[in-house]
Structure formats: structure tokens, C-alpha cells
Amino acid sequence: MHSVDRPYSPSQTPTKPRLLDHVREVLRRRHYSLRTEQSYVDWIKRFILFHCKRHPAQMGKAEVTVFLTHLAVRRDVAASTQNQALSAILFLYRHVLEQELEWVEAFERPKRPARLPVVLTAAEARAVLGQLEGAKWLMGCLLYGAGLRLMECLRLRVKDVDFGYGQILVRDGKGAKDRVTMLPATLVEPLKAHLERVRALHRRDLEAGYGEVYLPHALERKYPRAPREWPWQYVFPARKLSTDPRSGAVRRHYLDEDVLQRAIKEAARNADVRKPVSCHAFRHSFATHLLENGYDIRTVQELLGHSDVSTTMIYTHVMNKGGRGVRSPLDGAASGEPRRGQTMGGGTV
């Protein structure tokens, strides 16, 4: 058997290479994101290589079970990773090979462990942000000050920043939903200055014969001039032009997420914040601090874009744990109870 972690080479291409092309076509026809496409294709390729390049049409429940068991037992992958692999394989059989899967119900998806989110105090959040500069500082402030997810921040376009109403329109967020969140007043002037610099970069791109950005869902055909127009440009563009992996067009994409992720981890180290700080920790902190400041949970739910209020309720659990919602018996002395060494009723406690 092949290791699922072994690098791929041309000699390892499955016996029917057109299958993966077909997988990509179906994923694009069903409007799956590029990230999902890359992930599903990779898992399907690993599944085929694991079974010595056998065609999936010749395999079934037994082979899928062996592969998933290998991931869980031998590779010790997280439950979310195993679920992703299963989703990719089921997509292959259902939508690409178009096979009826009576055995699908036999697969029980592994449960993800319930974990409380990492939440920074207001002082810790300010300390980390204080270690950032320029565009990275702006992005970090939007994660914390507006509750944006990492990719929502990076994919933000000029037209969706409304200075007049002091709000940000998040387009096509998680679950393909739009929502409105606030634009912190503190960021208005720095963000305007940043956009002037970005606009100057866009003008130079246009003069060089470039200046286009990606538009989703055939909008480019509907609005042929839009990809080169200023309102559609990314607020946080990449430093270099790149080639679109699907169309081959040379465009300026948004900033790579690794840049901000690395910057925030380094900022947390420099600020001596010992929690596992990530980009998403700022979003968790945004929600928790709003609730602590007295805003109702429905308002916070709308700002976060949660479909179900039960998802937002996790932050109320964070607020009531860690000694903040319950008084420790060790602190009883503060209310008049005797401390160690004090006498009570003639005896020593």
C-alpha cells in the first residue's frame, strides 16, 4: 500500500487520469470553491493511490472503510480531517461516478470534540495589535473590531467598505451568506489612507496592461469592464501579480493568508501573550467582549453571521467559566471568612 503522505510524481498518476479532470469539472459546475476543489481532488487522489491505483468504480464500502480506518488509526488524523476525506470520497461516488450508495449510511462521521474558543482579554488584544504595522495592523484590527473571519477580511473589496454608514458588507461569507458588520470609527482614517495607496498601485497595474481581479459566478461576462474598475479591487491586494489557476489570466489576487497568520503569531510572541493566538481568536474575542459590554446575543449573532443562535451561545459559556462566573472557595476570605493561621472558635484553621 502507498502512504497517503508520500509526495506525488507523474509516475503515480492514476490509471485513468481523466477521472480527476472530470472531478474538477463537476466541482466547478456545482460552484464549489477553489479551496474545496483542491482539497477534494487531493483526497480522491490519495484514496486511489492508497489502493494501488485501482479505479474507484471497482471499489466500494470495504475499500473506503480501510482507507478511513488507516487515516484514523495509523495516521491519527483529527476528526475534521477524517470527515473531509469522507466528504470527498462520497462526492466522487455520488456526483462524479453517479453510483447509488446504499452503504453510505453505514459510515458514522467522527464527532469533533467540543472545545471552548481561545479568547483574549481587551488588554491582550491591544498588545498583540500593537506589535503589527501597516496593512497587517489594519487587517488585525478588522478581525477584532468587526468580527471578520480571516478570508472575509482578505477577500474584502473596495465597494463593500461603506464609510458613509460606517459599516462593512461581507459578501459570500461562510455558508455563501452576506451580512453587515460595523466599521470601527478608529479605522476610518487609516483605512482611507491605505486605500489611496492601493489605488495608486491599481493605476500602475492599469498602465502596465494589467489591473484585473477575479469576479465570481460569470460576473465578468455580465460586466466586462468590472474586473478593471476600482470598486471591485481587493482592499488588501497581494504584492505581486499571479496567474489564475483556472483561467490562466494574470491578475492581482488578494494577500496570501499565510502572511497575516504568521504576522499575528509573531506579534503574540513579541507581546508575550501566552495563549495560542490565531486570526480566529480575534473573532472569538470580538463576540465575547460585545457580550461582556451588554449587547444582546441576537445582535452579536447577526454581526457574526451565525444561522443558529446556539452557535453564538458558546461565548456565554466562555464568559461563565475560568473563575469569572463562579467564586473560588479560596477567595472566601475576601467576604470575611478566616484565612490560614487565623483562629476560629478557639482553634486554628
Side-chain angles (χ1 to χ4, degrees), residues 64-104:
V64 174
T65 302
V66 170
F67 180 66
L68 295 177
T69 301
H70 172 78
L71 293 179
V73 178
R74 299 291 297 276
R75 305 307 306 170
D76 193 25
V77 301
S80 58
T81 303
Q82 190 177 353
N83 278 325
Q84 187 183 67
L86 177 57
S87 296
I89 294 170
L90 295 184
F91 180 90
L92 169 68
Y93 280 98
R94 283 172 170 164
H95 303 297
V96 180
L97 300 179
E98 298 181 345
Q99 292 186 8
E100 292 295 330
L101 305 179
E102 297 84 1
W103 40 269
V104 168

Side-chain angles (χ1 to χ4, degrees), residues 285-318:
S285 305
F286 164 84
T288 304
H289 296 170
L290 285 181
L291 292 172
E292 288 177 339
N293 291 335
Y295 291 97
D296 67 274
I297 196 165
R298 291 290 183 182
T299 299
V300 177
Q301 176 192 357
E302 290 182 7
L303 291 172
L304 292 173
H306 291 161
S307 299
D308 194 328
V309 72
S310 63
T311 307
T312 318
M313 289 290 289
I314 185 66
Y315 301 109
T316 64
H317 299 315
V318 174

Side-chain angles (χ1 to χ4, degrees), residues 79-155:
S80 58
T81 303
Q82 190 177 353
N83 278 325
Q84 187 183 67
L86 177 57
S87 296
I89 294 170
L90 295 184
F91 180 90
L92 169 68
Y93 280 98
R94 283 172 170 164
H95 303 297
V96 180
L97 300 179
E98 298 181 345
Q99 292 186 8
E100 292 295 330
L101 305 179
E102 297 84 1
W103 40 269
V104 168
E105 300 302 326
F107 290 103
E108 182 178 354
R109 290 185 178 270
K111 295 182 179 179
R112 299 178 64 177
R115 302 191 186 281
L116 291 177
V118 174
V119 175
L120 306 174
T121 66
E124 288 171 334
R126 287 193 296 269
V128 175
L129 293 174
Q131 297 293 324
L132 299 172
E133 296 180 347
K136 297 171 187 175
W137 175 80
L138 270 175
M139 289 185 283
C141 287
L142 286 174
L143 298 181
Y144 176 53
L148 299 183
R149 297 180 177 90
L150 170 61
M151 297 311 300
E152 290 171 348
C153 178
L154 296 177
R155 292 171 178 164

Side-chain angles (χ1 to χ4, degrees), residues 108-345:
E108 182 178 354
R109 290 185 178 270
K111 295 182 179 179
R112 299 178 64 177
R115 302 191 186 281
L116 291 177
V118 174
V119 175
L120 306 174
T121 66
E124 288 171 334
R126 287 193 296 269
V128 175
L129 293 174
Q131 297 293 324
L132 299 172
E133 296 180 347
K136 297 171 187 175
W137 175 80
L138 270 175
M139 289 185 283
C141 287
L142 286 174
L143 298 181
Y144 176 53
L148 299 183
R149 297 180 177 90
L150 170 61
M151 297 311 300
E152 290 171 348
C153 178
L154 296 177
R155 292 171 178 164
L156 193 63
R157 297 182 190 257
V158 173
K159 67 183 182 64
D160 296 324
V161 179
D162 190 335
F163 290 106
Y165 280 103
Q167 65 185 25
I168 295 173
L169 179 57
V170 179
R171 297 280 190 182
D172 200 22
K174 189 174 182 179
K177 296 178 295 185
D178 293 353
R179 76 175 190 280
V180 174
T181 186
M182 77 278 283
L183 171 62
T186 308
L187 298 183
V188 170
E189 292 307 319
L191 191 53
K192 285 181 177 180
H194 168 77
L195 287 176
E196 285 302 316
R197 293 189 291 271
V198 174
R199 190 162 197 172
L201 175 64
H202 178 54
R203 291 194 188 101
R204 291 196 295 271
D205 284 347
L206 290 174
E207 291 170 359
Y210 299 106
E212 290 190 359
V213 291
Y214 165 77
L215 294 187
H217 308 313
L219 284 176
E220 186 174 353
R221 290 196 296 273
K222 188 175 182 180
Y223 306 111
R225 296 183 180 180
R228 297 167 65 88
E229 292 177 350
W230 167 240
W232 286 93
Q233 303 304 305
Y234 291 114
V235 174
F236 301 107
R239 295 182 61 184
K240 297 180 179 180
L241 298 172
S242 58
T243 302
D244 189 302
R246 286 181 170 177
S247 67
V250 177
R251 298 173 172 140
R252 189 173 295 278
H253 207 46
Y254 52 77
L255 190 69
D256 190 281
E257 63 263 35
D258 289 343
V259 174
L260 184 57
Q261 289 171 332
R262 287 195 299 265
I264 285 180
K265 288 186 179 297
E266 182 179 355
R269 287 194 299 269
N270 294 338
D272 197 26
V273 175
R274 300 176 187 182
K275 296 176 181 177
V277 181
S278 66
C279 293
H280 214 63
F282 281 117
R283 177 174 160 88
H284 295 320
S285 305
F286 164 84
T288 304
H289 296 170
L290 285 181
L291 292 172
E292 288 177 339
N293 291 335
Y295 291 97
D296 67 274
I297 196 165
R298 291 290 183 182
T299 299
V300 177
Q301 176 192 357
E302 290 182 7
L303 291 172
L304 292 173
H306 291 161
S307 299
D308 194 328
V309 72
S310 63
T311 307
T312 318
M313 289 290 289
I314 185 66
Y315 301 109
T316 64
H317 299 315
V318 174
M319 293 168 60
N320 293 327
K321 290 186 180 289
R324 288 191 284 170
V326 179
R327 188 178 186 84
S328 168
L330 186 61
D331 297 330
S335 59
E337 296 179 15
R339 298 178 181 174
R340 181 176 178 84
Q342 292 179 323
T343 59
M344 182 175 181

